[in-house]
Amino acid sequence: MHDLLTWVQGLPTLWIYLVAALIVAGETAVIFGLLVPGEATLLLVGFLTYNGTLRLGSALLAMIAAAVLGDGLAFRAGRRYGPRLRAGLGHRVGPERWSRAEGMLARLGGRGVFAARWVAFARTLVPRLAGATGMSYRRFAPWNLGGIVTWVGGSVLLGHLAGESYDTVSRLLGRATGAALVLLAGLLGVVLAGRWLGRNPDPVRALLSQAGALPPVRWLSARYGILFFLLAMRIGPAWTLLINLAAGLLLLFATGFAIAGLLAVAVSNSGLAALDGAIGSWFAARRTPGAADATLIVVSLVRGWVLIVLVAVVAAVLAWRNRPWRADLLSVVGTVGAFVPLVVLAVVAELTGPAGNETRFPTQNAMVAASFCTLAWLVSRSAHWPVAVTAWTVAAAGVLGVGGARLYLGLDTVSGTAAAVLLGVLWTVVFVVAWATRDRAMRDRDQPVDPMLPSQGPRSPAEPC
């Protein structure tokens, strides 16, 4: 690597700018850009600004312009060849799935374009998909520019600040890209789990119903179905609900362990642990007795069990005011029993927390993140838009504030804090998506049918438009 750096530094400056710009632009402009090392190139450019070979400002402008040009060409290619792609590959995929992909990009919109810039492979494909699915360039350009500025600027500045540690930073950034892919896959799994829970508010009953189609269960039902019926009548509806709730909580435990295992893999491969010592020393150098005592009081007050009690009170008040009661698991954990998933998460965080001398999931950070997000969800669900934005803003500030305070006191590490906060946030996402899916299904079911709509029947040729 040092021989390569020495050789690159001996090249004319204009050539360095040109080659680096071609690599950055080509990563998205051509489909073979999937194999181009864009991140490593930007880190190398940052290192060359550190040793004086390139100027930092000129390098940033050149790399941003190259990335904008590459994405613009990819977007135009998607717009121009999108119909051909849909007629070819889309014919095999099927019109229904193609329409579903278009709807997904329409829902994510600019946020998906912005996030794709930070993920390898995605930044090559998403501009083409945006152009092929008909997204306007006026909508695509601002979000794409925001992603480019943050990605290019962050990578170049990281290479500049790394200095002689370029090799280490390059290796860690490559690991972080893989961890980001794992997190995106995990987020997709969490969203799908939430959507399934929303469509099946009683998950145990839904699983038993699906299991009933299996041949052994069908045989047992045909042979001993009358005994099962008599047993269910003997238990009664109240005990049946309690058994269903208990079994549902066991499923929530399993879901929590699955999310925790996913985050353990992602965080352990992200390279964050390499920053624990440096960031811990930075906070320790700025710690003063007075500020530490005041921060410790705040952290002691904003604890998991205090927030669980607060969530229980808020959930009970809102449930009493709105009275949206239904006898199923999702209704319980989404209204008066909103604190129950937090208790489940506390147990999961405790069981998956200590790992040797390293704490992967500090329980307090996980509980703070999940509790603040749950409170924001409960408050914003039936509130106007300004109140909802305020609730989520306060929740984000609370999570960042408590996490930063615990880092300042040296109670947690950066990698442990990141894992715990992600665990709490993803845990809340399951129920947010489930409730939104359920609400949408109920609105579609209860929506009255207008008999005057023309879609209700064929119109007579003589009928006026």
PDB file of all heavy atoms in Angstrom, residues 210-219:
ATOM      1  N   GLN A 210     -52.555 -21.761  10.234  1.00  0.00           N
ATOM      2  CA  GLN A 210     -51.702 -22.204   9.137  1.00  0.00           C
ATOM      3  C   GLN A 210     -51.188 -23.621   9.384  1.00  0.00           C
ATOM      4  O   GLN A 210     -51.054 -24.418   8.450  1.00  0.00           O
ATOM      5  CB  GLN A 210     -50.537 -21.234   8.963  1.00  0.00           C
ATOM      6  CG  GLN A 210     -50.974 -19.838   8.517  1.00  0.00           C
ATOM      7  CD  GLN A 210     -49.812 -18.872   8.444  1.00  0.00           C
ATOM      8  OE1 GLN A 210     -48.661 -19.243   8.634  1.00  0.00           O
ATOM      9  NE2 GLN A 210     -50.117 -17.620   8.169  1.00  0.00           N
ATOM     10  N   ALA A 211     -50.886 -23.919  10.645  1.00  0.00           N
ATOM     11  CA  ALA A 211     -50.418 -25.273  10.960  1.00  0.00           C
ATOM     12  C   ALA A 211     -51.520 -26.297  10.755  1.00  0.00           C
ATOM     13  O   ALA A 211     -51.253 -27.479  10.502  1.00  0.00           O
ATOM     14  CB  ALA A 211     -49.911 -25.333  12.397  1.00  0.00           C
ATOM     15  N   GLY A 212     -52.784 -25.865  10.865  1.00  0.00           N
ATOM     16  CA  GLY A 212     -53.887 -26.793  10.675  1.00  0.00           C
ATOM     17  C   GLY A 212     -53.963 -27.361   9.277  1.00  0.00           C
ATOM     18  O   GLY A 212     -54.617 -28.386   9.049  1.00  0.00           O
ATOM     19  N   ALA A 213     -53.288 -26.693   8.306  1.00  0.00           N
ATOM     20  CA  ALA A 213     -53.293 -27.212   6.938  1.00  0.00           C
ATOM     21  C   ALA A 213     -52.281 -28.323   6.731  1.00  0.00           C
ATOM     22  O   ALA A 213     -52.290 -28.989   5.687  1.00  0.00           O
ATOM     23  CB  ALA A 213     -53.011 -26.068   5.950  1.00  0.00           C
ATOM     24  N   LEU A 214     -51.396 -28.549   7.706  1.00  0.00           N
ATOM     25  CA  LEU A 214     -50.405 -29.613   7.581  1.00  0.00           C
ATOM     26  C   LEU A 214     -51.079 -30.980   7.730  1.00  0.00           C
ATOM     27  O   LEU A 214     -52.008 -31.142   8.536  1.00  0.00           O
ATOM     28  CB  LEU A 214     -49.310 -29.447   8.626  1.00  0.00           C
ATOM     29  CG  LEU A 214     -48.513 -28.144   8.548  1.00  0.00           C
ATOM     30  CD1 LEU A 214     -47.519 -28.055   9.699  1.00  0.00           C
ATOM     31  CD2 LEU A 214     -47.789 -28.032   7.211  1.00  0.00           C
ATOM     32  N   PRO A 215     -50.631 -31.982   6.994  1.00  0.00           N
ATOM     33  CA  PRO A 215     -51.299 -33.309   7.026  1.00  0.00           C
ATOM     34  C   PRO A 215     -51.396 -33.918   8.425  1.00  0.00           C
ATOM     35  O   PRO A 215     -52.476 -34.419   8.795  1.00  0.00           O
ATOM     36  CB  PRO A 215     -50.430 -34.152   6.082  1.00  0.00           C
ATOM     37  CG  PRO A 215     -49.825 -33.156   5.144  1.00  0.00           C
ATOM     38  CD  PRO A 215     -49.596 -31.914   5.955  1.00  0.00           C
ATOM     39  N   PRO A 216     -50.315 -33.898   9.266  1.00  0.00           N
ATOM     40  CA  PRO A 216     -50.476 -34.516  10.596  1.00  0.00           C
ATOM     41  C   PRO A 216     -51.529 -33.816  11.452  1.00  0.00           C
ATOM     42  O   PRO A 216     -52.307 -34.474  12.151  1.00  0.00           O
ATOM     43  CB  PRO A 216     -49.071 -34.388  11.208  1.00  0.00           C
ATOM     44  CG  PRO A 216     -48.156 -34.213  10.056  1.00  0.00           C
ATOM     45  CD  PRO A 216     -48.936 -33.450   9.055  1.00  0.00           C
ATOM     46  N   VAL A 217     -51.552 -32.478  11.371  1.00  0.00           N
ATOM     47  CA  VAL A 217     -52.530 -31.738  12.178  1.00  0.00           C
ATOM     48  C   VAL A 217     -53.931 -31.976  11.649  1.00  0.00           C
ATOM     49  O   VAL A 217     -54.895 -32.088  12.420  1.00  0.00           O
ATOM     50  CB  VAL A 217     -52.176 -30.239  12.185  1.00  0.00           C
ATOM     51  CG1 VAL A 217     -53.177 -29.456  13.019  1.00  0.00           C
ATOM     52  CG2 VAL A 217     -50.766 -30.027  12.704  1.00  0.00           C
ATOM     53  N   ARG A 218     -54.068 -32.068  10.333  1.00  0.00           N
ATOM     54  CA  ARG A 218     -55.395 -32.352   9.760  1.00  0.00           C
ATOM     55  C   ARG A 218     -55.895 -33.711  10.211  1.00  0.00           C
ATOM     56  O   ARG A 218     -57.074 -33.902  10.493  1.00  0.00           O
ATOM     57  CB  ARG A 218     -55.302 -32.309   8.229  1.00  0.00           C
ATOM     58  CG  ARG A 218     -55.444 -30.918   7.650  1.00  0.00           C
ATOM     59  CD  ARG A 218     -55.818 -30.959   6.188  1.00  0.00           C
ATOM     60  NE  ARG A 218     -55.041 -31.974   5.471  1.00  0.00           N
ATOM     61  CZ  ARG A 218     -54.334 -31.727   4.380  1.00  0.00           C
ATOM     62  NH1 ARG A 218     -54.282 -30.513   3.899  1.00  0.00           N
ATOM     63  NH2 ARG A 218     -53.684 -32.694   3.768  1.00  0.00           N
ATOM     64  N   TRP A 219     -54.973 -34.670  10.277  1.00  0.00           N
ATOM     65  CA  TRP A 219     -55.365 -36.019  10.727  1.00  0.00           C
ATOM     66  C   TRP A 219     -55.811 -35.998  12.180  1.00  0.00           C
ATOM     67  O   TRP A 219     -56.827 -36.604  12.547  1.00  0.00           O
ATOM     68  CB  TRP A 219     -54.178 -36.957  10.541  1.00  0.00           C
ATOM     69  CG  TRP A 219     -54.474 -38.371  10.971  1.00  0.00           C
ATOM     70  CD1 TRP A 219     -55.112 -39.328  10.252  1.00  0.00           C
ATOM     71  CD2 TRP A 219     -54.148 -38.951  12.236  1.00  0.00           C
ATOM     72  NE1 TRP A 219     -55.217 -40.494  10.987  1.00  0.00           N
ATOM     73  CE2 TRP A 219     -54.623 -40.289  12.215  1.00  0.00           C
ATOM     74  CE3 TRP A 219     -53.503 -38.480  13.373  1.00  0.00           C
ATOM     75  CZ2 TRP A 219     -54.479 -41.147  13.297  1.00  0.00           C
ATOM     76  CZ3 TRP A 219     -53.349 -39.333  14.444  1.00  0.00           C
ATOM     77  CH2 TRP A 219     -53.826 -40.652  14.417  1.00  0.00           C
TER      78      TRP A 219
END
